[in-house]
Amino acid sequence: MPSTPQAAPDAASRTACGRITILLVEDHDMVAEAIRIALDRTDDLTVVGRSLCVKDALADAALLRPAVVVLDRRLPDGDGISAIAPLKAAAPGTRVLLLTGDGTPAMAAHVAEAGGSGLILKAGNLAELKDGVRHVAAGDVAFSEGLLAGALDRLIGATADLGTTLTPRERETLGLLGDGLGAAEIGRRLGVALNTARNHVQRVLEKLGARSQLEAVAVARREGLLP
């Protein structure tokens, strides 16, 4: 049965009691229940709601403000990739991890271009999904084996306007993004607060014309800003 959305948490409570909050968007009951049980059995993850379609997911994301939305690719009222941007707009700061049964490098690139943080194959084991949620919540990306390299290759060929020159601190931030680090670890490396690190990351994305960290790294490599 779908879970009932609870009272809306503020941004700070997205990891309340040390657990990463998750909104699960999946219309198949058996699949959703298996995923929910697997995630809830961990010490650091908790499913706070389940949505059956894109329309409900938008409302539930705005209400619950989860750390991560685990989103099925195929839903009764739309394609999951097309729902990524509206979900992020409905719940700013929430990250989206897509689930699919037939992922390809091209699809992974579309997910990244749309602002998604990862693409996990349903054929993979549940441990991969759990790790993917953790990586995404920490500001990193999570793609099933074979999809990340293909996504980068395709994004490198995209056209982007670099805009204004990156400052030395922004270049340092970009280098850490290139190492696969999220905002939290970037903040530790730079010796700055998490919000400051997030601001650095956001400015890098804006100047590179990128909609995600993955796309920013791809553009930077194409332009010779990263090895």
Side-chain angles (χ1 to χ4, degrees):
M1 294 291 293
S3 58
T4 302
Q6 302 165 9
D10 58 26
S13 67
R14 293 185 185 183
T15 54
C17 301
R19 306 189 81 182
I20 297 167
T21 54
I22 301 160
L23 172 63
L24 176 60
V25 186
E26 168 62 65
D27 60 316
H28 291 95
D29 289 342
M30 292 182 64
V31 174
E33 185 64 9
I35 292 174
R36 185 193 65 77
I37 291 173
L39 296 177
D40 279 347
R41 282 180 176 173
T42 64
D43 293 332
D44 60 335
L45 308 174
T46 183
V47 176
V48 295
R50 176 196 166 198
S51 309
L52 301 177
C53 60
V54 172
K55 180 181 177 181
D56 289 348
L58 293 173
D60 292 342
L63 174 66
L64 298 172
R65 300 292 298 275
V68 178
V69 173
V70 174
L71 175 68
D72 188 19
R73 163 73 198 286
R74 300 183 186 278
L75 293 163
D77 60 344
D79 181 276
I81 297 177
S82 299
I84 292 174
L87 279 168
K88 291 170 67 71
T94 292
R95 298 182 176 276
V96 180
L97 178 62
L98 209 75
L99 285 177
T100 185
D102 55 354
T104 64
M107 186 186 298
H110 290 318
V111 169
E113 289 167 350
S117 296
L119 179 65
I120 300 294
L121 296 176
K122 287 185 175 180
N125 58 51
L126 289 170
E128 180 183 19
L129 175 58
K130 295 175 189 177
D131 287 341
V133 170
R134 294 181 182 109
H135 284 301
V136 167
D140 299 328
V141 295
F143 287 84
S144 288
E145 185 177 0
L147 298 182
L148 178 57
L152 283 171
D153 288 343
R154 289 174 179 270
L155 287 171
I156 286 172
T159 301
D161 181 4
L162 291 182
T164 58
T165 304
L166 296 172
T167 67
R169 178 46 63 92
E170 289 162 0
R171 284 181 175 271
E172 193 173 0
T173 300
L174 177 60
L176 294 173
L177 288 174
D179 290 336
L181 303 183
E185 183 60 27
I186 288 173
R188 285 191 286 270
R189 295 285 185 93
L190 298 180
V192 299
L194 176 58
N195 284 341
T196 300
R198 286 172 174 163
N199 288 337
H200 290 328
V201 171
Q202 184 59 38
R203 283 196 293 270
V204 169
L205 266 60
E206 290 172 355
K207 291 185 178 182
L208 295 183
R211 287 172 287 183
S212 68
Q213 295 180 21
L214 179 62
E215 186 178 1
V217 170
V219 171
R221 286 178 176 162
R222 188 198 71 203
E223 298 296 329
L225 299 174
L226 288 175

